[in-house]
Amino acid sequence: MTIPTIQHFAEYKTPFYYYDLELLDKTLRVAADEAARHGFHLHYALKANANARLLAVIRERGLGADCVSGNEVAAAIASGFRAGEIVYAGVGKSDEEIRLALGENIGCFNCESFPELEVINDIAGSLGKTARVSLRVNPNVDAHTHHYITTGIEENKFGFPLEQLERAARACLQLPRVEWRGIHFHVGSQIADMRVFQQLCAKANAIQEELLANGLAPTSVNFGGGLGIDYENPDEQPVPAFADYFQTFAKHFARLPGQQVHFEPGRAIAAQCGTLVARVLYVKEGTRKKFAILDAGMNDLIRPALYQARHRIENLTARPGDVEPYDVVGPVCESADCFGKDVLLPPTRRGDVIAIRSCGAYGEVMASRYNLRPLPGARFSND
Ligand code: LLP
């Protein structure tokens, strides 16, 4: 990631997200090439970042879209994603959202419950349409990641429990306005250990065999997202391990002849190209600590407060002197408003420019107006 010089930022009001669109494009090229090697289809997960400037670059590289709300479907369409390459997941799709997605003729609904299947069937009937549907299955694979972003173990709200899958597939075949496509998984996010994906393949193989034994052949399988990135050393591995990732599925998933294989990467596409840029408002000496108080807070980037996530923090204002530990905090009235404890920084002063790295995914899109603070701005490398 190329971060411009401090002079470049001097005129900009902080805080803002800075996006290196060249790195985004390079990441997309690698992801698309490695997927194409195996004939896999990619759908970018808009939930990671739906900034229109990023969406334009992502669409240019030919990815489809993975959406979780009617507004995301609308944003994908507005950015030029082809409707037939949009997939739409979520446990709580409203009637209005389903109507919108059917109206746009999206590629596939990833369905999560029996009542949802019926509602989709009814609304499709009333619109004179047929809905293509995949069934999201909860495969009970532990992603070994933060519990808020683990989605594939038994006790959470996502997907059909495994033992209901066959019944769900039969329900699809009976519903006149539903066309059953296959199965969908997503076991969690920020997964760096390829063994988790190997386990997912093994589960998918077993599930598929069982379905086939019962005369049910999925024509499509979707493995969701989840590929992790290197938050500690963003400059050493700016482009995530797409080759290993897709290779794992090519090797361990027993693909049926002619079967389509889909993925929904979010973080792996968008995270490393984004940096939250802030200024130091005050340096406060505590009893035992020094606090660097920024003009960015948890409303701008909530990941550290919500998931105890660690982002690399750098002082872009180069200063001579040895590094020392600072607690880097925001101005919001919550103790959780802390970006990092004991972060080693060079001697830091009021006005210094701070970069919080690897923020392109689940950063800007999760910003809020808490404390009635303004939303952060956005700047782009090609402005
Ligand atoms: N597909 C589905 C069905 C998902 O639920 C998700 C993410 C993705 C794809 C994209 O996953 P990714 O490739 O980004 O791992 N806000 C949290 C992450 C929440 C992920 C939710 N689902 C964070 O900041 O870490």
Side-chain angles (χ1 to χ4, degrees), residues 1-10 12 16 18-20 275 277 316-317 353 355 379-382:
M1 156 122 197
T2 323
I3 302 184
T5 58
I6 187 80
Q7 283 79 10
H8 182 93
F9 287 138
Y12 295 149
F16 60 87
Y18 173 78
Y19 294 108
D20 179 345
T275 297
V277 181
L316 299 184
T317 311
V353 177
R379 302 273 167 185
F380 304 88
S381 52
N382 61 0

Side-chain angles (χ1 to χ4, degrees), residues 43-48 66-68 87-90 110 112 136 145-146 148-151 158 184-191 197 222-228 231 245 263-270 301-304 306-307 309 311 361-363 365-366:
H43 306 262
Y44 167 66
L46 264 79
K47 66 175 80 63
D66 163 41
C67 301
V68 285
V87 295
Y88 176 19
N110 289 324
E112 315 230 9
R136 179 165 181 181
T145 179
H146 190 273
Y148 278 13
I149 51 177
T150 294
T151 40
F158 297 102
H184 173 239
F185 304 95
H186 173 78
V187 292
S189 201
Q190 184 51 19
I191 300 167
F197 297 118
N222 182 332
F223 287 109
L227 176 61
Y231 280 100
Y245 176 66
F263 293 87
E264 304 168 340
R267 186 190 316 267
I269 300 289
L301 174 69
I302 202 174
R303 301 195 70 257
L306 192 56
Y307 314 115
H311 288 254
Y362 308 109
V365 80
M366 291 180 81

Side-chain angles (χ1 to χ4, degrees), residues 294-310:
L294 307 187
D295 61 3
M298 63 191 282
N299 71 299
D300 301 297
L301 174 69
I302 202 174
R303 301 195 70 257
L306 192 56
Y307 314 115
Q308 293 86 47
R310 289 159 68 125

Side-chain angles (χ1 to χ4, degrees), residues 20-307:
D20 179 345
L21 296 183
E22 288 72 37
L23 177 58
L24 173 64
D25 194 49
K26 183 173 169 203
T27 306
L28 287 162
R29 272 200 320 268
V30 174
D33 287 353
E34 295 300 336
R37 213 182 277 283
H38 310 288
F40 295 160
H41 299 266
L42 297 185
H43 306 262
Y44 167 66
L46 264 79
K47 66 175 80 63
N49 190 323
N51 185 298
R53 293 280 294 271
L54 272 70
L55 292 184
V57 178
I58 295 166
R59 185 253 301 140
E60 263 314 291
R61 285 282 163 206
L63 278 75
D66 163 41
C67 301
V68 285
S69 70
N71 283 346
E72 283 193 359
V73 171
I77 299 277
S79 287
F81 285 87
R82 280 202 292 276
E85 277 155 36
I86 294 177
V87 295
Y88 176 19
V91 292
K93 304 177 185 79
S94 72
D95 294 18
E96 194 184 342
E97 290 176 311
I98 293 169
R99 218 171 279 125
L100 180 143
L102 283 167
E104 296 290 354
N105 283 322
I106 64 157
C108 195
F109 287 85
N110 289 324
C111 274
E112 315 230 9
S113 68
F114 285 103
E116 183 196 332
L117 278 177
E118 280 173 24
V119 170
I120 289 179
N121 181 67
D122 290 351
I123 297 177
S126 71
L127 297 175
K129 305 232 175 207
T130 303
R132 289 167 291 276
V133 161
S134 256
L135 299 169
R136 179 165 181 181
V137 199
N138 191 336
N140 203 19
V141 169
D142 191 347
H144 300 293
T145 179
H146 190 273
H147 63 283
Y148 278 13
I149 51 177
T150 294
T151 40
I153 47 175
E154 244 156 32
E155 61 273 23
N156 66 48
K157 68 180 176 181
F158 297 102
F160 287 89
L162 214 45
E163 67 275 11
Q164 294 177 11
L165 177 62
E166 194 192 321
R167 186 154 68 85
R170 296 210 185 282
C172 289
L173 298 179
Q174 273 155 20
L175 292 168
R177 297 296 182 158
V178 163
E179 188 183 312
W180 181 53
R181 283 297 166 100
I183 39 185
H184 173 239
F185 304 95
H186 173 78
V187 292
S189 201
Q190 184 51 19
I191 300 167
D193 184 348
M194 294 299 145
R195 286 172 302 183
V196 172
F197 297 118
Q198 266 187 47
Q199 278 174 32
L200 172 57
C201 289
K203 276 282 166 93
N205 292 343
I207 291 168
Q208 195 152 272
E209 265 178 40
E210 176 86 22
L211 287 172
L212 288 172
N214 287 291
L216 296 160
T219 55
S220 141
V221 57
N222 182 332
F223 287 109
L227 176 61
I229 64 137
D230 190 342
Y231 280 100
E232 272 162 41
N233 300 299
D235 295 322
E236 275 167 39
Q237 206 196 4
V239 177
F242 289 107
D244 279 5
Y245 176 66
F246 293 126
Q247 188 61 41
T248 302
F249 289 90
K251 188 164 164 207
H252 297 280
F253 174 60
R255 187 176 182 175
L256 303 174
Q259 189 172 42
Q260 285 190 3
V261 180
H262 300 261
F263 293 87
E264 304 168 340
R267 186 190 316 267
I269 300 289
Q272 295 293 28
C273 77
T275 297
L276 178 60
V277 181
R279 280 194 175 81
V280 177
L281 288 175
Y282 304 106
V283 174
K284 171 169 156 172
E285 306 259 353
T287 324
R288 281 184 304 272
K289 280 177 177 287
K290 277 189 183 170
F291 295 94
I293 304 172
L294 307 187
D295 61 3
M298 63 191 282
N299 71 299
D300 301 297
L301 174 69
I302 202 174
R303 301 195 70 257
L306 192 56
Y307 314 115

